[in-house]
Amino acid sequence: MLFGRSAEIAAIDDLLGRARGGAGGALVLRGDAGVGKTALLDLAATRAGSMRVLRATGAEPESDLAFATLHQLLRPVTIPAGGLLDALPEPQREAVRGALGLAGAGDRFLLAAGVLSLLAEASVPDGLVCVVDDFQWVDRASADALLFAARRLSTERIAMLLSVRGTLPVKGLPSLTLGGLPPDAATALLNADITSATTRSGASASAGVGVEAGVVRELAALTGGNPLALREIVRLLSPAQLAGREPLPDPLPGGAQLFGEQVAALSPQARQVALLAAVEGDLDLVLRAAARMGLSTDSGRVEPHDAAHAPGGSSADAGRAESHDRAPVLTGSSTDAGRAALHELEAAGLVLVSGAGVRFRHPLIRSAVHEAAAPADRRAAHAVLGGLCEGDRRAWHLAAAALGQDEEVAAALAATAVRARERGGYGDAATALARAAELTPDPVSRAARLKDAAVAAWLGGRPGQAGSLLAEARERAGSDPVTAAEIDQLRGRFELNSGSAAEAVRILSAGESLSMLADAMEAASYVGDTEAMIRFGGRAAAHPEGFLRDVLVGIGLMLSGDGADGGGHGLLVRALERVGELTEAAEFLWATAAASQLGEADLSAELAGRAGQVARVSGMAGQLPVVLEFVATGERISGRLAESQAISEEGLELAREAGYGNTVAAHLANLAVLAALRGEEETCGRLAREALAIAVPHRVGLRVGVAAYALAMLELGLGRFAAAHDRFTAMAQAGPGAGHPAVVWRSAPDRIEAAVGAGDTRAARAALEAYGRRSAHARTDESRALLARCHALVEDDAGGFEEALRLHANPFEAARTGLLLGERLRRAYRPGEARPRLRAAMETFEAAGARPWARRAQGELRAAGESAEPAPGPLLDTLTPQELRIAGLVADGLSSKEIAARLFLSPRTVEYHLYKIYPKLGITTRTELARLVVLRKAGTARQDML
């Protein structure tokens, strides 16, 4: 029975109830050691009823072993013969198999999605409760995967409970902090313990003695009401002290002394076995190590006889010596001594033996054992254990045993990092490599390992740690030019993704390799520094011809004004002719940039979409958040607003998971634009401010420009032309880091419309002239349609609008052109010609959710003499952005497993969305859904839609 925890129990019951109903979630229990977190987790497991329960406990000795906790948690559902793994999409299945050591390499995001899918399968039929105790000691790879899943349980029949000691941040999950017990609950707890003790043989001296109320209040105040401290201290008090007849000791036998006296009272053999158990939880290893260290029941002393205690020998030497003799001959007396010592620990209530493992009754007991041992004894224990085990455990034990630098041990840790990295455990790989670097004697090799550790930390979503490791690597690199150049390129990439884009330009500008010049060009483009981009393009010309070289040189020439005459246009066209040869997402993004420089925004958007497809299926999902910046922008520019919304929401979530700060700003800015188009003034302003709060200090002019564009489009959509004109003018005048030329160019049609609406014809003509120069080489119909619309606006030429409508491929932009034409036809007293244009525009805006634009078209339609109630939109427009994406993938012929793999969902989550989609649309099959999607695409693709 738990005392004083009614609020916590209610929260757990609520979580379990929601999970049973298919609305799962997670809860973090926080509190000091001994406050009762484990007891509440035990209670959650007992109240699960028919729900399946999976449990794991973080162990400090295993906190550096990648996927140790995940293996413990998932073992019941992955054995025998793969368990539930076969139900997962293939990419997720292989990633999980890799993490569990059953297959090869895995990707971090694919693994996390695979864990979510596996938990969803395990929740059938009655639900699932996942309980993870001591989460602060869970290895990083397991923690990342579990937290990814925990944040995505809202449509699953899964409840996840994590207990955390200390201040470990657990982002995105609700938490409940456990305080101490109040005096009445403390009294009930202690009296219940004493009553229970009287019924057992061998009861303590205080058995049958009640605890006086005043004593309980004093104990509760002195211990903060900590249940473990109360119980252990009461056990050490005399009956007279408990009854209040004698004063309590000062200080109380608590704190560091709580278990210290029990540890000190153990026999030397038991203390040695306790120390071995404190650094290794495998029972067989503990007993074998105890025998190897020479426990003897005759002498009553521990007589270590390994190299750690030989003259001139080290603990690491001992581990290596033992590694050549992995099956030591154990004498009967030494084996018996180890088991006897273990029994002594069990009898004292300090350890629990379960199956093949040994663990302490409470983590504080382990801490007391560890602190009581001399450093030399701890190293000796690690050394012997290192000689008896294999792989990662051996490497970590030898590292803990090492005195000073040791290349052989460092190499073993580096090999451990490789294995962790191949399975997607980047955080644990970073830890192993950082420790390996500490043990590495050679300065250049040390710098290289620090560099590799920084990369692993970055890929593990820990940019702060990555930056610190890279800074140390740079200090250690010395005069080695190759390592120094690699470090500088990484520094620049790190800065570009999460730091100052301007600083990234400065760092990367020192390089001469084509890849470093490409990174420098990318950084300069984020800043909006045209002059720097021109310089980098010129320097790239010294490299042999090829796709990337042509793009860099071509962009530089186009920006310098030598686009046509200087060959820039030809180089970019030649590069785009090689698109069929491209295989990597980064290459498609460079093709996107080439198309953008040619003024072909629609082709640029298409290529960005292909980059996203490649990133999803390439096994390099770690780059996906960045790629999705451009995919979401491309979808918006193409008029597919719901798709853009869903992609940016996904990208934002993944970017936050990965710690890519500037990518977070990119998705926030795009979402702000979408909110502006919907007329959601408060949401647009909030999202734009959040984006600017990151992008402005980081000098990411591209994202500053997009956030500013969102605010300008909000004004334009609401018909506040003067305010919109002012914002567009400010955008055009902003320098590098505060704005961006590409945003100015892409927003030129909007800026011209705002200037005309505000009556500033001169500004409209100037903007048109600049836009015309940039779009002179555009080859696509949509690019020419936008240019024709701009000319028609400035010249007030209805024929120009008609020409634009014949060219438009983007339905949203076609609706805007139709609205502008309809307005002019109505004002020219031609309402009959205006009405069909206005009606079609209103319906398109309504379907897109662009309410301000729909209201504007509706007002014009009424003025033209037609009742302007919008017709019910197409059925698919009732779907959420995520549902619309799933519907589109169903229409493409993908199965639920394939859709889950593409969107980092579980197959059951996909089925859940389909379960909601069908009744919304009045259908019952995938075939009917695919037909609706195809009809919608056919309708929006009609060029005569207006």
Side-chain angles (χ1 to χ4, degrees):
M1 181 177 181
L2 296 182
F3 298 94
R5 297 298 185 202
S6 57
E8 291 85 351
I9 293 171
I12 290 172
D13 284 343
D14 176 65
L15 177 65
L16 296 178
R18 287 187 285 111
R20 290 189 185 97
L27 180 64
V28 179
L29 301 179
R30 291 187 173 277
D32 296 332
V35 79
K37 303 183 295 297
T38 301
L40 283 168
L41 295 183
D42 292 341
L43 178 134
T46 61
R47 294 169 92 96
S50 61
M51 301 172 79
R52 187 199 296 260
V53 178
L54 295 177
R55 297 199 65 155
T57 300
E60 192 170 6
E62 297 184 345
S63 60
D64 292 323
L65 299 177
F67 302 111
T69 301
L70 204 60
H71 193 280
Q72 181 189 158
L73 182 76
L74 300 181
R75 184 175 175 81
V77 294
T78 54
I79 57 171
L84 300 176
L85 283 172
D86 290 342
L88 273 59
E90 183 178 357
Q92 296 180 7
R93 180 173 66 247
E94 292 309 304
V96 175
R97 284 172 55 83
L100 300 181
L102 304 174
D107 176 89
R108 178 182 170 216
F109 286 122
L110 286 175
L111 165 65
V115 170
L116 174 61
S117 295
L118 186 59
L119 296 179
E121 292 297 329
S123 70
V124 178
D126 297 320
L128 172 69
V129 180
C130 287
V131 175
V132 183
D133 203 358
D134 286 328
F135 194 76
Q136 73 278 359
W137 287 329
V138 170
D139 62 276
R140 291 182 174 182
S142 297
D144 287 344
L146 289 171
L147 291 177
F148 181 99
R151 288 188 276 263
R152 292 164 174 82
L153 299 179
S154 60
T155 62
E156 307 289 355
R157 302 182 70 187
I158 302 171
M160 186 178 292
L161 293 106
L162 315 174
S163 77
V164 177
R165 188 207 306 180
T167 58
L168 177 76
V170 183
K171 296 180 181 178
L173 298 183
S175 64
L176 193 61
T177 300
L178 277 63
L181 299 179
D184 57 341
T187 300
L189 170 71
L190 296 178
N191 286 333
D193 280 358
I194 291 172
T195 300
S196 176
T198 61
T199 65
R200 300 193 304 268
S201 60
S204 66
S206 59
V209 180
V211 185
E212 197 269 331
V215 173
V216 173
R217 284 195 296 273
E218 188 174 357
L219 287 174
L222 292 171
T223 62
N226 185 291
L228 177 65
L230 286 168
R231 283 173 152 162
E232 294 298 326
I233 290 170
V234 163
R235 189 182 60 80
L236 300 174
L237 297 179
S238 69
Q241 289 170 328
L242 292 174
R245 295 192 300 271
E246 293 182 4
L248 296 175
D250 185 16
L252 287 175
Q257 304 176 45
L258 191 58
F259 296 106
E261 293 181 7
Q262 289 177 267
V263 172
L266 295 171
S267 68
Q269 295 94 333
R271 285 201 302 275
Q272 182 65 65
V273 171
L275 176 59
L276 289 166
V279 297
E280 174 57 62
D282 184 280
L283 178 60
D284 178 62
L285 279 175
V286 168
L287 291 175
R288 290 170 64 201
R292 171 62 64 178
M293 296 188 78
L295 262 67
S296 170
T297 53
D298 298 329
S299 66
R301 296 177 60 240
V302 178
E303 294 288 354
H305 55 259
D306 58 46
H309 293 266
S314 73
S315 299
D317 292 334
R320 286 196 295 276
E322 293 289 358
S323 70
H324 298 293
D325 181 15
R326 305 214 190 280
V329 177
L330 308 182
T331 66
S333 62
S334 62
T335 303
D336 291 344
R339 295 185 182 280
L342 188 65
H343 294 158
E344 181 182 342
L345 292 170
E346 287 185 289
L350 297 179
V351 303
L352 301 170
V353 175
S354 176
V358 55
R359 63 184 179 89
F360 290 94
R361 177 169 59 83
H362 193 277
L364 288 181
I365 302 175
R366 176 186 178 276
S367 298
V369 169
H370 202 268
E371 291 172 8
D377 290 335
R378 292 199 292 265
R379 288 193 297 271
H382 280 294
V384 173
L385 287 164
L388 293 172
C389 56
E390 301 282 349
D392 297 347
R393 288 180 183 273
R394 175 179 181 272
W396 279 110
H397 280 306
L398 293 182
L403 277 172
Q405 295 174 332
D406 188 317
E407 175 55 33
E408 190 172 342
V409 177
L413 271 182
T416 289
V418 170
R419 289 189 289 271
R421 191 168 50 210
E422 287 177 346
R423 292 150 57 201
Y426 295 108
D428 297 289
T431 302
L433 284 164
R435 177 62 176 141
E438 292 176 358
L439 295 171
T440 303
D442 177 60
V444 175
S445 298
R446 190 183 316 142
R449 282 172 175 155
L450 286 168
K451 170 183 67 77
D452 292 343
V455 173
W458 179 263
L459 293 174
R462 292 172 171 81
Q465 181 191 16
S468 298
L469 288 167
L470 204 59
E472 185 178 354
R474 192 163 184 267
E475 291 178 7
R476 305 283 186 180
S479 58
D480 180 61
V482 175
T483 304
E486 292 175 353
I487 290 171
D488 283 343
Q489 186 165 10
L490 286 170
R491 285 177 59 222
R493 292 300 315 177
F494 291 178
E495 281 290 336
L496 181 57
N497 280 297
S498 286
S500 167
E503 176 65 7
V505 173
R506 187 193 68 78
I507 294 169
L508 294 165
S509 64
E512 290 297 338
S513 68
L514 189 63
S515 65
M516 201 158 175
L517 286 171
D519 285 349
M521 174 79 83
E522 182 182 351
S525 73
Y526 270 66
V527 175
D529 189 342
T530 301
E531 293 301 319
M533 294 175 71
I534 293 170
R535 290 197 305 273
F536 298 139
R539 288 163 60 184
H543 289 268
E545 291 184 2
F547 169 77
L548 182 56
R549 181 263 187 194
D550 286 354
V551 172
L552 299 181
V553 176
I555 289 174
L557 290 172
M558 294 290 288
L559 293 174
S560 69
D562 292 332
D565 298 337
H569 176 267
L571 285 172
L572 294 180
V573 170
R574 185 170 75 182
L576 289 175
E577 288 172 351
R578 302 181 66 173
V579 162
E581 304 171 14
L582 306 184
T583 58
E584 297 183 5
E587 293 175 324
F588 279 104
L589 290 182
W590 279 115
T592 297
S596 179
Q597 282 296 326
L598 290 175
E600 299 179 2
D602 47 343
L603 177 59
S604 177
E606 177 190 336
L607 291 167
R610 292 174 68 178
Q613 293 171 3
V614 170
R616 288 187 188 279
V617 301
S618 66
M620 290 296 292
Q623 65 182 318
L624 189 59
V626 178
V627 175
L628 291 183
E629 296 179 31
F630 301 94
V631 178
T633 300
E635 292 293 299
R636 171 171 56 79
I637 290 172
S638 299
R640 295 183 286 270
L641 306 186
E643 289 88 343
S644 179
Q645 178 84 20
I647 291 168
S648 259
E649 288 173 351
E650 177 190 11
L652 178 61
E653 195 168 25
L654 293 176
R656 283 174 168 159
E657 297 266 1
Y660 297 173
N662 292 341
T663 300
V664 168
H667 289 297
L668 288 170
N670 189 62
L671 290 169
V673 176
L674 296 169
L677 295 175
R678 294 191 300 269
E680 298 171 354
E681 192 162 2
E682 182 179 346
T683 300
C684 173
R686 175 178 56 79
L687 291 169
R689 286 191 299 273
E690 290 179 15
L692 290 169
I694 299 170
V696 169
H698 287 187
R699 303 282 292 166
V700 188
L702 179 59
R703 304 313 171 195
V704 175
V706 175
Y709 173 68
L711 298 173
M713 284 301 292
L714 179 68
E715 303 287 4
L716 182 62
L718 294 173
R720 302 194 289 245
F721 295 106
H725 180 39
D726 289 343
R727 287 192 179 276
F728 281 119
T729 300
M731 285 170 51
Q733 295 172 347
H740 201 278
V743 179
V744 173
W745 162 65
R746 284 183 174 172
S747 65
D750 311 299
R751 180 185 176 195
I752 291 166
E753 183 177 343
V756 170
D760 192 344
T761 307
R762 178 181 296 179
R765 289 187 182 280
L768 175 59
E769 183 180 350
Y771 184 59
R773 286 196 303 271
R774 179 67 181 271
S775 303
H777 302 291
R779 299 169 297 172
T780 62
D781 286 344
E782 184 62 29
S783 300
R784 291 188 289 131
L786 290 173
L787 186 58
R789 185 175 82 195
C790 292
H791 276 291
L793 268 167
V794 173
E795 306 298 336
D796 198 17
D797 175 21
F801 290 115
E802 296 282 4
E803 173 66 16
L805 287 172
R806 282 192 292 272
L807 293 169
H808 271 304
N810 181 325
F812 189 81
E813 292 300 333
R816 289 183 62 185
T817 300
L819 172 60
L820 291 167
L821 176 58
E823 289 173 337
R824 279 149 182 79
L825 290 173
R826 183 191 65 78
R827 291 166 191 165
Y829 303 104
R830 297 159 63 184
E833 297 175 60
R835 283 194 289 271
R837 305 294 187 188
L838 295 169
R839 188 184 314 113
M842 181 183 70
E843 290 172 356
T844 300
F845 292 141
E846 284 286 347
R851 286 180 287 277
W853 300 86
R855 286 195 297 268
R856 180 171 155 188
Q858 185 179 29
E860 288 290 335
L861 196 55
R862 283 176 178 160
E866 180 175 311
S867 173
E869 291 302 319
L875 285 174
L876 287 174
D877 294 333
T878 63
L879 303 183
T880 67
Q882 183 75 309
E883 290 168 350
L884 191 60
R885 292 183 76 197
I886 290 173
L889 293 172
V890 167
D892 290 341
L894 274 66
S895 67
S896 292
K897 280 188 178 181
E898 292 167 330
I899 295 170
R902 186 77 61 87
L903 301 182
F904 299 106
L905 301 172
S906 73
R908 293 192 178 276
T909 298
V910 174
E911 292 295 335
Y912 167 82
H913 283 296
L914 290 173
Y915 176 80
K916 292 173 62 182
I917 288 170
Y918 289 162
K920 282 186 179 182
L921 304 182
I923 59 175
T924 58
T925 68
R926 285 173 173 257
T927 302
E928 292 174 290
L929 177 58
R931 180 176 177 274
L932 286 175
V933 173
V934 170
L935 289 175
R936 179 179 187 265
K937 288 181 178 178
T940 57
R942 290 201 314 268
Q943 294 192 9
D944 61 346
M945 63 179 293
L946 296 174

